[in-house]
Amino acid sequence: MEIRLNNLTKIFQSKKQEETIAVNQLDVTIPSGKLIGLLGPSGCGKSTTLYMISGLLKPTEGSIFFGDDDVTTVPPEERGIGLVFQNYALYPHMTVRQNILFPLENLKVPKAEALQQAQDIANLVGIGELMDRKPAQLSGGQQQRVAIARALVKKPRVLLLDEPLSNLDARLRLQTREEIKRIQRETGITTLFVTHDQEEAMSISDEIVVMKDGLMQQKGSPQGVYDDPINEFTARFLGTPPINMFDGEIKGGKIHLNGASIGESDLEDRKVRIGIRPEGFKVLKTGSLRVEVEFVETIGRDTTLIIKNPVEEGKTFRAIVEADQKIQPGKGISLSVKPHKMFLFDAATGERI
Ligand code: ADP
Ligand code: MG
């Protein structure tokens, strides 16, 4: 089931007549059967978008289509959605089985059939043996699976997940996100996964939609957006460690960083912001960009160099290089920059140039 958001807008009005534009003219198509990550910092309008798709919030403007159905004014219970929130909101006095069965009760599904459906879904999400337990007898990850099973048992057209992994510890978060990906693949259900965690969104999503201040910034495959960010915001938001930013300039067809030429550009002479991914550097014996290494961290295959920023005193930047290079802290090295790992931005607007 394809989801289409047309000009979707939500303006909240406070008592003092102040307006918050939580979601601003969002135009997004979510392809059928895919898992889309809605990604952005806290307060950028992710939950508001999800609540409008679910029908829990009424849009100020715009429309929502599920396939050919205009569902903009359809009540939530008639939209065919499954919802999962950060806090699993399970009924504590009910068993896992009763929790999963609950959404079927209003649907008048015959008892034996309902039990079978609940068991099938529980098996799918990997909690088939825990049906007689109460939520308090489950780990956080297991509770979240119960919540997912409960959302799926009605066979919804669309699955909406709002920061579903935020309450889990780091290991469970990793494991559960892989489970969600598997469940999504097996059911083929169109899924919108909301998160502020770029790594989570990048690892789980077929496509990501990056938002800031209610506005969509960019949409594409995770790797596509990482490799070709549209502006400084997206470039900085994706990637760990984050992209390095420098003030630089273009002079005579060369990109200059602290007086050193680090690449070529067709642009006219001007000031620019230069973004370089940490993996975008190469260490050379000699070269024009001379820098001083402050720390060296080797973890597994990679060595991270923490280097004094030549442009901004007191600041550092990060370069990830192969571990076998013998680099001493406190020593000077030369760097070159891989052209496809470097992006130029307008200093005033942050737009890519
Ligand atoms: P996110 O989920 O990305 O963290 P939200 O969608 O929850 O962001 O919020 C987007 C913006 O709308 C924020 O500025 C938030 O304070 C505001 N907002 C959300 N809900 C309400 C509400 N019920 N009334 C007023 N403002 C709200
Ligand atoms: Mg939110």
Side-chain angles (χ1 to χ4, degrees):
M1 180 69 54
E2 179 185 274
I3 306 174
R4 229 165 353 110
L5 312 179
N6 293 335
N7 191 37
L8 194 66
T9 301
K10 181 70 190 181
I11 301 172
F12 290 110
Q13 210 104 32
S14 80
K15 289 202 187 87
K16 294 181 201 149
Q17 294 302 302
E18 283 168 2
E19 286 190 343
T20 305
I21 307 177
V23 176
N24 198 344
Q25 303 189 319
L26 205 57
D27 283 309
V28 181
T29 300
I30 298 169
S32 182
K34 298 287 184 202
L35 193 160
I36 302 300
L38 186 55
L39 173 67
S42 176
C44 75
K46 304 180 296 294
S47 294
T48 306
T49 303
L50 184 126
Y51 294 156
M52 287 193 283
I53 297 171
S54 72
L56 296 173
L57 266 181
K58 191 170 161 285
T60 312
E61 246 182 69
S63 51
I64 301 162
F65 284 81
F66 289 179
D68 293 329
D69 296 349
D70 184 344
V71 299
T72 315
T73 57
V74 174
E77 61 278 11
E78 289 169 28
R79 288 193 188 191
I81 44 146
L83 266 175
V84 179
F85 298 104
Q86 177 177 342
N87 48 350
Y88 335 114
L90 300 176
Y91 299 107
H93 58 285
M94 292 186 189
T95 62
V96 169
R97 181 180 292 103
Q98 288 166 329
N99 266 284
I100 299 174
L101 280 171
F102 191 78
L104 296 177
E105 278 176 8
N106 298 329
L107 296 183
K108 309 259 180 295
V109 182
K111 188 74 198 256
E113 201 181 316
L115 279 170
Q116 189 57 49
Q117 280 179 31
Q119 188 64 51
D120 289 347
I121 287 290
N123 293 344
L124 175 77
V125 304
I127 50 162
E129 280 100 72
L130 306 174
M131 295 295 262
D132 294 313
R133 294 211 197 162
K134 297 267 176 73
Q137 297 167 309
L138 302 175
S139 73
Q142 290 167 336
Q143 290 182 40
Q144 195 53 300
R145 286 169 200 227
V146 178
I148 293 167
R150 196 175 54 178
L152 288 173
V153 76
K154 277 200 292 183
K155 302 202 166 41
R157 301 194 279 181
V158 170
L159 181 62
L160 304 171
L161 306 155
D162 193 356
E163 313 246 10
L165 309 179
S166 300
N167 282 350
L168 306 181
D169 67 39
R171 260 188 60 188
L172 258 180
R173 204 152 66 219
L174 268 174
Q175 196 190 336
T176 314
R177 87 183 185 203
E178 274 152 31
E179 281 289 289
I180 290 177
K181 184 77 202 166
R182 177 185 65 78
I183 294 162
Q184 192 274 330
R185 285 234 176 92
E186 283 180 20
T187 56
I189 184 169
T190 308
T191 301
L192 189 67
F193 184 100
V194 163
T195 177
H196 65 275
D197 181 332
Q198 57 90 23
E199 202 208 323
E200 195 169 282
M202 299 266 286
S203 64
I204 202 175
S205 309
D206 297 310
E207 277 187 38
I208 54 172
V209 173
V210 184
M211 278 181 84
K212 179 193 170 218
D213 297 338
L215 290 164
M216 184 173 89
Q217 305 291 303
Q218 194 166 0
K219 176 172 181 272
S221 70
Q223 194 65 41
V225 177
Y226 182 84
D227 287 338
D228 200 7
I230 198 167
N231 57 28
E232 189 175 328
F233 175 80
T234 344
R236 293 176 88 125
F237 202 71
L238 301 188
T240 26
I243 194 166
N244 301 295
M245 297 298 308
F246 306 93
D247 288 321
E249 62 182 328
I250 297 182
K251 227 162 57 183
K254 306 273 189 211
I255 304 166
H256 282 268
L257 175 59
N258 198 35
S261 165
I262 56 165
E264 309 205 332
S265 167
D266 303 337
L267 295 165
E268 288 179 16
D269 290 6
R270 60 176 292 176
K271 299 237 180 281
V272 289
R273 297 268 290 158
I274 305 170
I276 306 172
R277 296 271 180 219
E279 69 276 22
F281 296 98
K282 269 197 271 189
V283 180
L284 306 174
K285 291 235 162 60
T286 57
S288 64
L289 183 61
R290 294 288 301 171
V291 289
E292 191 186 317
V293 177
E294 209 158 83
F295 301 108
V296 179
E297 290 173 3
T298 298
I299 300 166
R301 279 180 303 133
D302 292 328
T303 290
T304 302
L305 307 176
I306 295 142
I307 301 169
K308 282 192 180 154
N309 186 321
V311 191
E312 281 180 83
E313 195 156 343
K315 296 234 168 127
T316 56
F317 71 96
R318 280 165 189 264
I320 298 174
V321 297
E322 278 172 29
D324 55 6
Q325 310 200 33
K326 305 239 172 330
I327 297 164
Q328 302 291 327
K331 291 271 166 65
I333 55 167
S334 294
L335 295 175
S336 70
V337 178
K338 300 172 191 168
H340 65 287
K341 292 288 181 183
M342 170 161 57
F343 313 111
L344 303 178
F345 304 98
D346 184 289
T349 64
E351 292 302 312
R352 178 94 171 270
I353 48 176

